[in-house]
Amino acid sequence: QVQLVESGGGLVQAGGSLRLSCAASGRAFSNYAVGWFRQAPGKERDFVAAISRSGDFTGYANSVKGRFTISRDNAKNTVYLQMNSLKPEDTAVYYCAAGTYSTSPDDYAYWGQGTQVTVSS
């Protein structure tokens, strides 16, 4: 089993930046790809970014490409999501998940509790 805890969310003005962290414990963290997903009120849970087991491969939703960067430090059992040039439409609860490298939430077996990101206009 893998336990995941997100942190770093908060309130920021449009154009600002936040860095989210996803801290893992349990089984070997480097065995899993990690994805970030987000869900706004009344909306579906959408893919944001993913990183492979080694960190050699990353993928992004078109809506965040060029603004967000996913990275991982396996020695610290942590994955990060650096969010720059934030927009009000980025407002959502952000979740990290461990599993197989994919854009689909169905391919991730373990999920964190989420952290709220609010971007004001």
Side-chain angles (χ1 to χ4, degrees), residues 8-20 66-69 81-87 90 94 116-120:
L11 175 64
V12 65
Q13 291 185 338
S17 298
L18 286 173
R19 188 175 78 157
L20 305 184
R67 299 188 298 122
F68 291 10
T69 303
L81 184 68
Q82 178 67 46
M83 304 185 295
N84 298 327
S85 301
L86 283 162
K87 304 174 180 180
D90 296 318
Y94 284 70
Q116 176 71 46
V117 171
T118 303
V119 184
S120 64

Side-chain angles (χ1 to χ4, degrees), residues 34-97:
V34 173
W36 285 95
F37 297 80
R38 66 188 183 186
Q39 188 166 25
K43 301 295 183 65
E44 297 180 345
R45 185 169 298 188
D46 291 329
F47 170 76
V48 176
I51 189 164
S52 63
R53 292 164 60 184
S54 66
D56 290 340
F57 301 98
T58 58
Y60 300 91
N62 288 333
S63 59
V64 307
K65 195 171 298 181
R67 299 188 298 122
F68 291 10
T69 303
I70 189 171
S71 61
R72 70 189 298 163
D73 186 341
N74 286 343
K76 295 182 177 180
N77 290 342
T78 302
V79 168
Y80 305 96
L81 184 68
Q82 178 67 46
M83 304 185 295
N84 298 327
S85 301
L86 283 162
K87 304 174 180 180
E89 50 263 47
D90 296 318
T91 295
V93 176
Y94 284 70
Y95 300 88
C96 68

